[in-house]
Amino acid sequence: MEIKPIFLSIKHNKAIAMLVIIQVAITLTVLSGSLLMTTSTLKEWNLPSGIPHNNIISAVPEFYDLEVDVRQSLVDDLARIEAITEVINVSPVTQRPFDAQGIQTIYLEASAEAQEYETNIFTGDANLPEVLQLSLIEGRFFREDEIVVGQRDELPAMPPIVMISEAMAKVLFPDNNALGQTIWLEKGAAPAEIIGIYSNFMNGENLNYFGQSYRTILQPLVTWQNRADPSYLIRVEDGMADGLLETIRNQLYKVDGRYVNRVEVLTRTQKRMYDGRGSHAIMLLVISSVLLLITAFGMAGLVSFLVTQRQKQIGTRRALGAKKWDVVRYFMLENGVLTTIGIVIGLVLSIAFAFVLTEDSGVNILDMSYIFATAFFIILVNQLAVYLPAKKAANVAPAIVTRSA
Amino acid sequence: MFAYNLKLAFKSLNDRPSLTILMVAAIAVGLGLFMTMLTLSHQAGKIPMPHISKQIHLVQLDNREVTADEAENFNQMVDLTYQDTQNLLKLPSAGVEQTLAWNTNGILNVEEQEIQPQRSSVVATNQAFFTMFEVPFLYGEGWDSDADQFSQAVIVLSKKSNDYLFGGINSVGKQVRLNTHVLTVIGVLDDWFLARKFYDRSYYQAWPDQAFIPSNFAFDSDLPRNARFDCWSTTTNPGKFRTNYLTELKTSECAWITFWAKLPNHNLEDYKTQLGQYIDSQKRLGRFPRENQYFLTNINDQLEVISNMIGREQMLGVISYMFFAVCLINAVSILLAKFMRRTKEVSLRRALGAKKRTILQQHLIEVVFIGIIGGLFGILFSYIGLQAMLRVSLYASDYVRTAADLMPYHQMDWEMIMMAFTVSVSCTLLVGLYPIWRICNVSPASQLKAQ
């Protein structure tokens, strides 16, 4: 066995052994730290949207002249947008997918201490399921005559019916069929009956952050309350969305006293929802991979030095009958011992580092499986960095010893 | 001897170029990331208007209920109520300038149909704002105290808004509409760079406001008030004050307006006395139920509190330091490998009479040289790194912020460049310590036996 000579040689080259150990330990700490941060940032990242977001345009105009007749301009807007040939369907809404503001709470009972369920409520006319291309799972969609239209504070009554998403149905009624049940969208308000269940679509950043991306409720309601209501969701023919943005903007500007804030394809809304997290994670990943590269090169450089130093020793061993593989194995084993010691120290440091990060951010990011995976990966890279120069060294001709002596 | 050593050092650098390159790369990459993070925090730590920042004080009076929590610093303290701002503005105090500021927003638009309206963030303030904060003007000037008193419809535009709405011409005297209100342009700002936007206490970087209007005009037009309302707990739903209930807000005990006083040193004590007297006089009216407490915090002290609270960059900062450490340890290994290959040559030179000092000099030259080259490339890498961080910020803001606004925060200055060289050379020297010590202690002729 080679263990004994390896320890002797490590004892002989204490400085280099220390360097390798420290390097492995710190690399493991930094790598696993940034990996843990990356995975915690990317949790719930880029989930399926559930809608053909490439073909849906969201338009958010805003009235700065409060005298404008919103009801009339709503009719005009819809007529003008529908007149565009490439437009398939349009619906006036107050929230858009990927962009749901805040978190709304709903209840299963009227009582004051009823349990709260978090969701996002989307409003729209009968076209909305068609615009979003939602598929019906149970029940039915809204009918034209069920849509309530009006200014928020002047509505005679809220619509007595709602539709809910599949994910919402599972949360509210895990054991029963949700269809036909009643829910309360506000405490003390009239209840609403669930008339249909539709396929999931993404609500927005707020609930996504809590892993509740697909909790949504549709209300058959066309309403406006503040200057930015209503906005429009417009589904257009495949591939036409980008070319239509300017046209739609100009159509909306035909109403005076209005500012057209944002006309964009929902793909961009989706990008905006994720981009803060995405850019942060990518930055960490780039740093981590450069670090790994540097470590690997450093390790290779170090081993090639060790190897050149021991050419004679290798030659002697070869002359005494050691196979090439024996020499390679020796170096790999030596590096393996050092790396393992480094890994053990690194594990302790990594856990401590993860604790500090957790305390800073308030989110528990410690996940041992990532730390072990990083450790395994470092061993792999190091072994590879040793293998290449060692293999070259093993090619030393056995006779070299005799020659140089 | 020095020239000879220099020659030897260069020869040695050329000897195994791959090891030299590897070492320079390790130092440069590590330094690049290190300097990127250091520059970002260096720029973020800069103080707006450093020549007067210590005179500019945020004024906060503790008009809260008896039951409210103690405040340790200005950041936990409420701002001013409307009535207090009005009363303080009337304080007779020579040499002291005071201003108030609150945020609103609206749609700026002009008669010309081809120029589309623009959503703008607008600051409502008074005439002292422009003189106190030494705001640079391109055209015209700030409004006068009459405009404040009679809430005249005047507006000061930022350079960018003027470029957008009027094509960059001198627009003073022209009319612009904020929502449906017609205002006369009275001044246009020049580029006004603030390391942090302090005046609304957001401390944002690179989010400039588009226009400034008299606070009284903003009240008369009932523009939205984008503020946090710290009200007594008896006030229901303070959020309603954003767009409604102005009359109620003006007499309420809701604190929401930031208030600033420019106090040259000799005025500070006087001003404090005045604040104390003011609180006492209000106590007689049944206000200010708590102990006399007010905060006067200058900009430097504010930033100190704020900079302790920024999280994400700090984590990246810690990672960049550790990254640099790994790169340095790497460099030690490579340097050791490089030097120890030369054991034979050194022992020969020693045998032929070279002193330890000579050997030391040769290797020091080599190490310093590597340090300088590493520093050069490190600066190059940190330039690339800063550019990348700028792109990331642009991307993460969905291209709402502009590269020109962000540029000052992602730029190396001479201080940072000198810093890079110092760090690079001193770190390579540190890295070189052990390898040089090893090579200098090679005993003369020891390696010759084997030959």
Side-chain angles (χ1 to χ4, degrees):
Chain A
M1 246 345 254
E2 286 140 333
I3 290 294
K4 213 173 158 197
I6 284 175
F7 274 110
L8 279 175
S9 121
I10 289 176
K11 230 173 127 185
H12 188 69
N13 269 319
K14 275 195 222 87
I16 286 180
M18 283 296 289
L19 285 176
V20 173
I21 291 172
I22 295 175
Q23 190 167 347
V24 168
I26 299 187
T27 308
L28 176 61
T29 314
V30 178
L31 265 186
S32 65
S34 61
L35 194 67
L36 286 174
M37 273 158 70
T38 312
T39 48
S40 89
T41 350
L42 287 190
K43 206 172 57 179
E44 307 293 328
W45 193 70
N46 256 357
L47 295 178
S49 68
I51 50 174
H53 51 261
N54 292 332
N55 296 327
I56 302 175
I57 293 172
S58 117
V60 189
E62 188 175 332
F63 292 108
Y64 58 80
D65 186 350
L66 297 179
E67 312 276 287
V68 174
D69 180 354
V70 181
R71 194 181 290 262
Q72 185 53 47
S73 64
L74 178 71
V75 175
D76 295 343
D77 284 341
L78 288 175
R80 289 191 186 114
I81 293 170
E82 277 165 359
I84 303 170
T85 26
E86 293 90 345
V87 168
I88 297 174
N89 229 326
V90 52
S91 180
V93 295
T94 45
Q95 305 220 65
R96 279 102 25 219
F98 311 115
D99 190 37
Q101 301 296 310
I103 295 174
Q104 289 89 46
T105 47
I106 55 166
Y107 313 88
L108 290 180
E109 305 163 48
S111 70
E113 55 277 1
Q115 195 197 334
E116 292 184 349
Y117 292 90
E118 294 178 327
T119 187
N120 283 130
I121 301 173
F122 288 75
T123 65
D125 64 8
N127 285 335
L128 184 56
E130 167 61 21
V131 169
L132 297 178
Q133 250 183 12
L134 302 174
S135 47
L136 192 62
I137 289 171
E138 259 185 293
R140 63 176 181 87
F141 283 129
F142 304 129
R143 283 194 311 267
E144 204 69 59
D145 60 309
E146 288 169 332
I147 311 294
V148 176
V149 183
Q151 215 232 298
R152 189 111 199 165
D153 304 328
E154 293 159 9
L155 288 175
M158 290 305 263
I161 50 171
V162 290
M163 295 183 66
I164 64 176
S165 71
E166 202 183 352
M168 196 72 235
K170 269 201 193 108
V171 173
L172 293 178
F173 306 100
D175 309 318
N176 308 323
N177 189 343
L179 206 61
Q181 306 269 15
T182 47
I183 57 173
W184 279 259
L185 301 187
E186 256 175 280
K187 261 187 190 155
E193 185 193 340
I194 299 169
I195 60 152
I197 297 166
Y198 54 84
S199 59
N200 291 331
F201 71 91
M202 172 63 66
N203 45 30
E205 192 156 12
N206 292 317
L207 283 177
N208 168 267
Y209 190 75
F210 296 109
Q212 306 173 347
S213 307
Y214 299 114
R215 293 191 184 184
T216 55
I217 288 181
L218 291 191
Q219 225 179 350
L221 182 64
V222 174
T223 186
W224 52 93
Q225 180 171 35
N226 57 43
R227 292 157 188 263
D229 289 333
S231 51
Y232 301 98
L233 285 176
I234 306 155
R235 190 151 68 82
V236 299
E237 280 167 23
D238 196 26
M240 307 302 284
D242 283 317
L244 285 173
L245 298 180
E246 210 43 48
T247 319
I248 289 170
R249 180 180 287 271
N250 290 334
Q251 291 299 327
L252 292 174
Y253 261 126
K254 287 191 174 156
V255 175
D256 275 339
R258 156 189 274 178
Y259 163 63
V260 182
N261 183 9
R262 198 171 250 158
V263 180
E264 64 185 11
V265 186
L266 276 186
T267 319
R268 178 147 183 201
T269 323
Q270 184 187 35
K271 176 230 159 222
R272 191 165 48 241
M273 171 179 164
Y274 294 117
D275 58 13
R277 285 181 270 174
S279 54
H280 188 227
I282 287 167
M283 220 147 59
L284 284 172
L285 280 181
V286 168
I287 292 175
S288 308
S289 34
V290 173
L291 180 68
L292 202 65
L293 216 65
I294 289 267
T295 318
F297 273 117
M299 200 58 71
L302 203 61
V303 171
S304 66
F305 158 67
L306 282 176
V307 169
T308 35
Q309 257 209 333
R310 292 191 215 159
Q311 268 206 344
K312 247 186 300 171
Q313 181 197 338
I314 296 168
T316 319
R317 284 199 64 194
R318 292 275 284 125
L320 291 177
K323 294 198 184 72
K324 278 186 190 176
W325 169 239
D326 289 329
V327 175
V328 175
R329 194 180 56 182
Y330 173 84
F331 281 111
M332 290 180 73
L333 209 64
E334 183 184 61
N335 176 272
V337 169
L338 294 178
T339 307
T340 310
I341 299 173
I343 294 276
V344 171
I345 299 172
L347 278 179
V348 178
L349 287 177
S350 299
I351 294 168
F353 190 45
F355 267 116
V356 174
L357 291 181
T358 301
E359 223 155 68
D360 266 12
S361 62
V363 190
N364 182 19
I365 59 168
L366 184 60
D367 184 339
M368 284 315 283
S369 60
Y370 284 108
I371 298 184
F372 283 127
T374 318
F376 179 73
F377 193 59
I378 290 177
I379 294 178
L380 207 72
V381 168
N382 274 358
Q383 289 285 300
L384 195 73
V386 174
Y387 176 74
L388 298 175
K391 194 160 163 268
K392 220 168 114 195
N395 285 332
V396 172
I400 200 160
V401 185
T402 39
R403 192 152 24 101
S404 68
Chain B
M1 200 65 220
F2 182 77
Y4 179 64
N5 271 335
L6 201 65
K7 215 175 104 191
L8 275 183
F10 279 101
K11 189 175 159 291
S12 140
L13 284 172
N14 264 324
D15 178 24
R16 277 280 293 267
S18 62
L19 278 185
T20 312
I21 290 171
L22 205 60
M23 167 127 185
V24 170
I27 289 174
V29 170
L31 187 72
L33 183 67
F34 179 77
M35 288 309 296
T36 302
M37 296 318 294
L38 204 65
T39 306
L40 285 181
S41 81
H42 171 73
Q43 297 290 11
K46 277 199 176 160
I47 288 172
M49 310 184 301
H51 60 295
I52 47 169
S53 60
K54 286 197 172 143
Q55 297 175 19
I56 309 258
H57 290 75
L58 176 71
V59 183
Q60 293 167 313
L61 305 178
D62 192 355
N63 74 323
R64 299 173 302 160
E65 301 125 300
V66 183
T67 50
D69 294 333
E70 276 308 312
E72 276 171 26
N73 57 43
F74 84 97
N75 207 33
Q76 299 165 354
M77 190 58 197
V78 299
D79 282 319
L80 258 56
T81 61
Y82 173 77
Q83 37 179 334
D84 287 324
T85 63
Q86 298 308 303
N87 294 336
L88 286 189
L89 283 174
K90 285 187 207 119
L91 281 186
S93 41
V96 174
E97 293 176 280
Q98 299 178 112
T99 191
L100 75 172
W102 52 277
N103 287 336
T104 181
N105 66 282
I107 312 294
L108 278 179
N109 56 103
V110 284
E111 283 295 331
E112 283 81 6
Q113 281 298 316
E114 59 271 24
I115 295 167
Q116 292 184 344
Q118 186 191 37
R119 176 204 268 271
S120 309
S121 67
V122 179
V123 181
T125 179
N126 71 357
Q127 47 96 17
F129 184 93
F130 303 99
T131 46
M132 269 175 76
F133 300 150
E134 301 180 358
V135 184
F137 275 88
L138 190 61
Y139 305 119
E141 54 188 4
W143 56 82
D144 53 20
S145 49
D146 277 0
D148 281 324
Q149 202 182 338
F150 304 112
S151 48
Q152 288 171 3
V154 291
I155 188 167
V156 168
L157 294 176
S158 74
K159 184 161 183 265
K160 225 185 205 170
S161 304
N162 187 54
D163 287 349
Y164 179 79
L165 295 169
F166 295 106
I169 60 157
N170 183 349
S171 60
V172 173
K174 290 195 184 293
Q175 297 203 317
V176 63
R177 291 190 304 183
L178 180 62
N179 295 344
T180 48
H181 310 286
V182 179
L183 297 103
T184 309
V185 178
I186 197 165
V188 175
L189 297 192
D190 205 345
D191 286 319
W192 187 29
F193 173 72
L194 282 177
R196 281 172 186 277
K197 192 165 86 181
F198 66 92
Y199 54 77
D200 57 2
R201 288 186 57 198
S202 65
Y203 306 101
Y204 284 151
Q205 302 178 332
W207 290 105
D209 291 305
Q210 278 88 40
F212 303 81
I213 55 172
S215 170
N216 285 341
F217 175 79
F219 280 127
D220 288 356
S221 319
D222 205 6
L223 290 169
R225 296 166 280 278
N226 302 336
R228 202 185 80 185
F229 298 94
D230 290 304
C231 301
W232 285 37
S233 56
T234 45
T235 317
T236 50
N237 183 23
K240 70 187 177 191
F241 291 126
R242 269 172 180 273
T243 50
N244 265 313
Y245 303 100
L246 179 59
T247 332
E248 193 188 322
L249 175 63
K250 279 184 169 176
T251 52
S252 74
E253 291 292 348
C254 288
W256 63 284
I257 302 177
T258 48
F259 195 87
W260 300 86
K262 187 174 186 178
L263 307 168
N265 281 338
H266 56 277
N267 286 15
L268 186 58
E269 287 311 313
D270 285 354
Y271 193 77
K272 280 184 178 167
T273 321
Q274 279 185 317
L275 282 185
Q277 285 166 352
Y278 171 70
I279 292 178
D280 286 340
S281 73
Q282 291 295 309
K283 272 181 192 286
R284 285 195 286 278
L285 299 173
R287 300 183 65 220
F288 289 93
R290 294 165 69 87
E291 290 288 298
N292 264 6
Q293 201 190 6
Y294 56 83
F295 277 99
L296 270 181
T297 322
N298 69 32
I299 294 180
N300 296 47
D301 294 343
Q302 289 167 39
L303 287 181
E304 199 151 304
V305 174
I306 294 300
S307 60
N308 284 334
M309 310 191 324
I310 301 160
R312 190 172 267 193
E313 273 83 32
Q314 268 174 358
M315 285 209 254
L316 266 179
V318 171
I319 288 202
S320 80
Y321 300 152
M322 289 166 81
F323 185 97
F324 193 33
V326 173
C327 290
L328 289 180
I329 292 169
N330 230 307
V332 178
S333 327
I334 300 169
L335 203 61
L336 200 59
K338 204 168 158 50
F339 283 1
M340 295 316 282
R341 281 166 42 79
R342 229 176 295 144
T343 325
K344 261 181 224 167
E345 180 196 318
V346 169
S347 77
L348 180 63
R349 280 186 76 193
R350 295 272 281 129
L352 293 178
K355 292 208 178 66
K356 261 193 193 178
R357 230 186 46 210
T358 319
I359 307 290
L360 182 73
Q361 196 186 39
Q362 179 204 332
H363 290 96
L364 273 181
I365 293 172
E366 198 175 333
V367 165
V368 169
F369 191 74
I370 290 178
I372 291 173
I373 301 281
L376 269 179
F377 279 98
I379 289 170
L380 186 71
F381 280 139
S382 54
Y383 174 77
I384 296 171
L386 286 166
Q387 284 295 313
M389 296 295 277
L390 189 144
R391 303 288 144 205
V392 167
S393 295
L394 282 181
Y395 172 83
S397 77
D398 199 33
Y399 304 100
V400 173
R401 298 159 96 177
T402 63
D405 284 334
L406 283 166
M407 204 51 211
Y409 304 98
H410 296 79
Q411 227 163 17
M412 291 189 94
D413 47 22
W414 282 110
E415 200 182 325
M416 284 291 107
I417 290 176
M418 291 320 293
M419 180 80 164
F421 275 115
T422 319
V423 170
S424 177
V425 172
S426 52
C427 282
T428 30
L429 279 177
L430 193 75
V431 160
L433 270 184
Y434 178 72
I436 290 180
W437 180 77
R438 280 282 296 264
I439 194 84
C440 286
N441 278 318
V442 169
S443 51
S446 67
Q447 298 291 314
L448 301 180
K449 277 184 300 203
Q451 294 293 337

